[in-house]
Amino acid sequence: AQKVTQAQTEISVVEKEDVTLDCVYETRDTTYYLFWYKQPPSGELVFLIRRNSFDEQNEISGRYSWNFQKSTSSFNFTITASQVVDSAVYFCALKEDNFNKFYFGSGTKLNVKP
Amino acid sequence: DGGITQSPKYLFRKEGQNVTLSCEQNLNHDAMYWYRQDPGQGLRLIYYSQIVNDFQKGDIAEGYSVSREKKESFPLTVTSAQKNPTAFYLCASSKRLGSYEQYFGPGTRLTVT
């Protein structure tokens, strides 16, 4: 079974629209970490955010915001007033405290058109 | 500037040839990782190393080999036994194995024909 599911394969929006990228995870651990990474066309993964399982407080960073809900095992990412530079593949990832590996979702490709 | 370098960015090989992908880090990190990325899929772990002269298989190690003779370097060899070697390969490092912060290199796109 997939530990991290990103059901949206590809999303296209027009600049200035808001867009939400979904992430659903599965774990039995009580302590775990969730991540979002951005992969622009250059290929390198850029770290965006980390949340631990004890901190359900939502976070906002500029045009980015994250909604962490343990009740639904979701960690969704919203970009407000999207820009062309936001076009990239976005990965959600999970790390369980007792294991050394990261589980990555399959990624959501975001296309922001001018 | 501290970071991870992978070279080359693009690599082309003929089927049946072994090829080695380079990964170097100057972050003084103990742990290093190799991932493979295929279109429409997430990253899958090939090998990881928590310290010099030690490495462990990840989820898809078949057809790959690694070495960790120096802390800074973790080269990956894609052997002729790897049935579908064409992919994007990402190297990462973290302070220690299990750290929740991983830093990624720019990746190498390998094409085997």
Side-chain angles (χ1 to χ4, degrees):
Chain A
Q2 285 273 43
K3 287 268 192 182
V4 178
T5 301
Q6 293 179 255
Q8 304 151 308
T9 305
E10 188 165 352
I11 301 174
S12 292
V13 299
V14 176
E15 209 169 16
K16 297 184 183 175
E17 284 185 15
D18 299 347
V19 58
T20 295
L21 310 182
D22 298 332
C23 174
V24 174
Y25 62 92
E26 179 186 330
T27 180
R28 293 182 180 179
D29 275 20
T30 55
T31 303
Y32 53 90
Y33 304 89
L34 295 164
F35 305 80
W36 276 98
Y37 287 88
K38 175 181 179 179
Q39 186 179 45
S42 60
E44 185 170 350
L45 261 71
V46 178
F47 168 80
L48 296 177
I49 190 172
R50 178 191 76 245
R51 304 299 286 176
N52 71 50
S53 52
F54 298 109
D55 184 2
E56 283 192 77
Q57 193 171 19
N58 292 330
E59 183 155 338
I60 297 174
S61 176
R63 296 183 297 107
Y64 295 170
S65 62
W66 291 269
N67 183 300
F68 177 26
Q69 292 196 347
K70 287 176 78 170
S71 60
T72 56
S73 297
S74 65
F75 186 43
N76 296 337
F77 172 31
T78 297
I79 302 175
T80 303
S82 59
Q83 300 176 2
V84 173
V85 293
D86 295 328
S87 296
V89 179
Y90 291 86
F91 289 97
C92 180
L94 162 73
K95 184 190 176 307
E96 296 165 325
D97 199 39
N98 293 326
F99 295 94
N100 295 321
K101 66 177 291 184
F102 282 61
Y103 298 93
F104 285 85
S106 55
T108 297
K109 184 176 182 182
L110 175 63
N111 302 306
V112 181
K113 301 175 183 177
Chain B
D1 281 333
I4 301 176
T5 56
Q6 290 184 245
S7 60
K9 180 73 174 171
Y10 299 95
L11 195 51
F12 298 88
R13 280 294 184 272
K14 295 283 188 187
E15 198 173 323
Q17 293 179 336
N18 291 355
V19 58
T20 298
L21 281 58
S22 163
C23 177
E24 304 276 331
Q25 54 98 359
N26 60 4
L27 300 166
N28 200 32
H29 286 173
D30 285 329
M32 296 186 75
Y33 313 79
W34 274 106
Y35 291 92
R36 171 182 170 137
Q37 183 182 5
D38 293 285
Q41 295 194 38
L43 279 64
R44 293 184 289 169
L45 184 63
I46 305 172
Y47 267 98
Y48 62 95
S49 166
Q50 64 175 334
I51 201 168
V52 173
N53 293 324
D54 175 80
F55 47 83
Q56 304 293 331
K57 292 181 179 180
D59 298 320
I60 55 166
E62 186 174 346
Y64 299 99
S65 66
V66 292
S67 62
R68 187 86 187 276
E69 297 175 1
K70 297 187 298 181
K71 187 175 185 177
E72 305 79 24
S73 179
F74 191 41
L76 172 75
T77 297
V78 184
T79 74
S80 55
Q82 168 50 234
K83 294 178 182 177
N84 296 299
T86 295
F88 188 58
Y89 292 88
L90 282 158
C91 178
S93 72
S94 61
K95 270 191 177 178
R96 64 179 195 285
L97 194 68
S99 291
Y100 48 61
E101 291 205 10
Q102 284 195 353
Y103 297 81
F104 286 84
T108 293
R109 189 167 299 279
L110 173 65
T111 302
V112 177
T113 56

